[in-house]
Amino acid sequence: MSDELWKILDTTDLVDALPFLKVWVEKIELPDGRIVDDFYQVFVPDSVLIFARDTKDRVVVERAYRHALKRVSLILPAGGINQGEEPLTAARRELLEETGYSSDDWAELGTFQTNSNQGLGRVHMFEALGAQKTAQADSGDLEDIEVVLLSTDELEAVIRGGDMIAMSSVTASSLALNAWKPIRPGSEQRD
Amino acid sequence: MSDELWKILDTTDLVDALPFLKVWVEKIELPDGRIVDDFYQVFVPDSVLIFARDTKDRVVVERAYRHALKRVSLILPAGGINQGEEPLTAARRELLEETGYSSDDWAELGTFQTNSNQGLGRVHMFEALGAQKTAQADSGDLEDIEVVLLSTDELEAVIRGGDMIAMSSVTASSLALNAWKPIRPGSEQRD
């Protein structure tokens, strides 16, 4: 197996719709010399996603219409990163804006690439403990958001039952509820 | 909060590169009457992903170059679904083609939407137990694939250390290693 980078021989932009997305196609030379004429790449900006527990250990979940699903679904708070903003700062802001909750106890759950072939952006996932409602939610998002507080048992049942469909929400929930969850240095790491 | 579907007033195709992807932009009317001129959607075909344990409870992991990451990374076996193929059939085929392993003990871990705003395809995730090497791997994929067998402790350390970057691989691993993992009916459901 080869660790060599694929050689990009040519790039053709197909859609430039930043800040939402950018699509291009690459002509690639593989390490064995084969040529691939059409390897598509999609840039979607990085985002943040928050698994927050309140002071009663309930998880702060959102119920909102998701256009890709064409239905209302349960998801975790999430959103974009402003220019120059640190991911943790974006996570604090999005949690507050979308749910009105804030926390002083944050940790990282990991940063993951949505798709390792085509890209599609990375999601920075955080856990917040002891979250408290300190403001009215005011997301400015297109969707109406209803905040739902679920016990961890209820959240597990939601995932088990297939009622949480967005992959990033399931990833963060599963990692956060896992005994061996990865906690890597955040700006306020827990011991 | 409104359960109403968003109304799609207009659709403009931007990229038609099937079977790889399709990109379009929708003009949307929200339930409150607001108009959104540019809501982007990306169709990527559904795929399958397999968390397989061998007879010694080691997880069948792949080490391969991932072009979106521009590096070699650890991922779970995964691949596309042929036309008319059932997801479980595709999972069996991909596991065999990419790793040479097969199993008679399959269960579903869930089906998740890559991105609930823009779509980006769904991933059908499966678990296979007691997998055995029954053939030579012959994936036909662009990447050279090295099969690596990891204990569950080793896999947990890989995820904890940030060395498994592809979100779908982390999702399936975390669900499969979780005591409360969802197992919904597959064609050969376990008790």
Side-chain angles (χ1 to χ4, degrees), chain A residues 11-26:
Chain A
T11 296
T12 305
D13 288 344
L14 300 176
V15 179
D16 184 348
L18 294 177
F20 301 114
L21 85 166
K22 197 165 166 4
V23 183
W24 65 98
V25 61
E26 295 177 351

Side-chain angles (χ1 to χ4, degrees), chain A residues 6 8 26 28 39 41 116-117, chain B residues 65-70:
Chain A
W6 289 359
I8 301 168
E26 295 177 351
I28 297 280
F39 201 84
Q41 297 282 282
S116 64
N117 283 312
Chain B
Y65 175 75
R66 309 307 297 156
H67 188 56
L69 308 177
K70 303 287 183 288

Side-chain angles (χ1 to χ4, degrees), chain A residues 88 105-113 122-127 171 175 180-191, chain B residues 71 155-167 170:
Chain A
L88 177 59
D105 188 359
W106 288 79
E108 293 186 15
L109 288 169
T111 297
F112 305 108
Q113 185 83 36
R122 295 182 306 165
V123 184
H124 301 265
M125 299 184 184
F126 295 91
E127 182 174 28
T171 310
L175 289 172
W180 50 273
K181 66 189 174 200
I183 295 188
R184 283 173 289 136
S187 72
E188 296 172 48
Q189 190 181 12
R190 288 198 297 275
D191 293 325
Chain B
R71 52 168 279 197
L155 178 57
E156 289 175 11
V158 162
I159 296 175
R160 197 191 294 261
D163 292 322
M164 181 171 266
I165 300 169
M167 190 189 300
V170 173

Side-chain angles (χ1 to χ4, degrees), chain A residues 4 9 28-36:
Chain A
E4 263 180 82
L9 301 179
I28 297 280
E29 182 181 339
L30 302 181
D32 64 8
R34 277 182 296 168
I35 303 291
V36 179

Side-chain angles (χ1 to χ4, degrees), chain A residues 1-8 14-17 20-21 23 26 28 30-32 34 36 38-42 44 63-72 75 109 111-123 125 140-146 155-157 159-162 164-168 170-171 173-184, chain B residues 1-8 14-17 20-21 23 26 28 30-32 34 36 38-42 44 63-72 75 109 111-123 125 140-146 155-157 159-162 164-168 170-171 173-184:
Chain A
M1 84 146 267
S2 168
D3 285 16
E4 263 180 82
L5 292 180
W6 289 359
K7 201 180 293 177
I8 301 168
L14 300 176
V15 179
D16 184 348
F20 301 114
L21 85 166
V23 183
E26 295 177 351
I28 297 280
L30 302 181
D32 64 8
R34 277 182 296 168
V36 179
D38 52 357
F39 201 84
Y40 292 89
Q41 297 282 282
V42 182
V44 174
R63 193 168 173 274
Y65 175 75
R66 310 308 297 155
H67 189 56
L69 309 177
K70 303 288 183 289
R71 53 167 278 196
V72 169
I75 52 169
L109 288 169
T111 297
F112 305 108
Q113 185 83 36
T114 302
N115 182 302
S116 64
N117 283 312
Q118 290 153 332
L120 310 177
R122 295 182 306 165
V123 184
M125 299 184 184
D141 287 352
L142 301 177
E143 303 85 1
D144 289 332
I145 295 172
E146 178 192 355
L155 178 58
E156 289 175 12
I159 296 174
R160 196 191 295 262
M164 181 171 265
I165 299 168
M167 190 189 300
S168 53
V170 173
T171 310
S173 298
S174 184
L175 289 172
L177 295 172
N178 227 319
W180 50 273
K181 66 189 174 200
I183 295 188
R184 283 173 289 136
Chain B
M1 88 143 262
S2 168
D3 285 16
E4 263 180 81
L5 291 181
W6 289 0
K7 201 178 293 175
I8 301 168
L14 300 175
V15 179
D16 184 348
F20 301 114
L21 85 166
V23 183
E26 295 177 352
I28 297 281
L30 302 182
D32 64 9
R34 277 183 295 168
V36 179
D38 52 356
F39 201 83
Y40 292 89
Q41 296 283 281
V42 182
V44 174
R63 194 170 173 273
Y65 175 75
R66 309 307 297 156
H67 188 56
L69 308 177
K70 303 287 183 288
R71 52 168 279 197
V72 169
I75 52 169
L109 288 169
T111 296
F112 305 109
Q113 184 83 36
T114 302
N115 181 303
S116 63
N117 283 313
Q118 290 152 333
L120 310 176
R122 294 182 307 165
V123 184
M125 300 185 183
D141 287 352
L142 300 177
E143 302 85 1
D144 289 332
I145 294 171
E146 179 191 354
L155 178 57
E156 289 175 11
I159 296 175
R160 197 191 294 261
M164 181 171 266
I165 300 169
M167 190 189 300
S168 53
V170 173
T171 310
S173 297
S174 184
L175 288 173
L177 295 173
N178 226 319
W180 51 271
K181 67 190 174 199
I183 295 188
R184 282 171 291 136

Side-chain angles (χ1 to χ4, degrees), chain A residues 93-114:
Chain A
R93 179 182 52 70
E94 286 289 345
L95 179 65
L96 186 65
E97 288 176 0
E98 291 191 350
T99 71
Y101 279 75
S102 54
S103 162
D104 291 323
D105 188 359
W106 288 79
E108 293 186 15
L109 288 169
T111 297
F112 305 108
Q113 185 83 36
T114 302

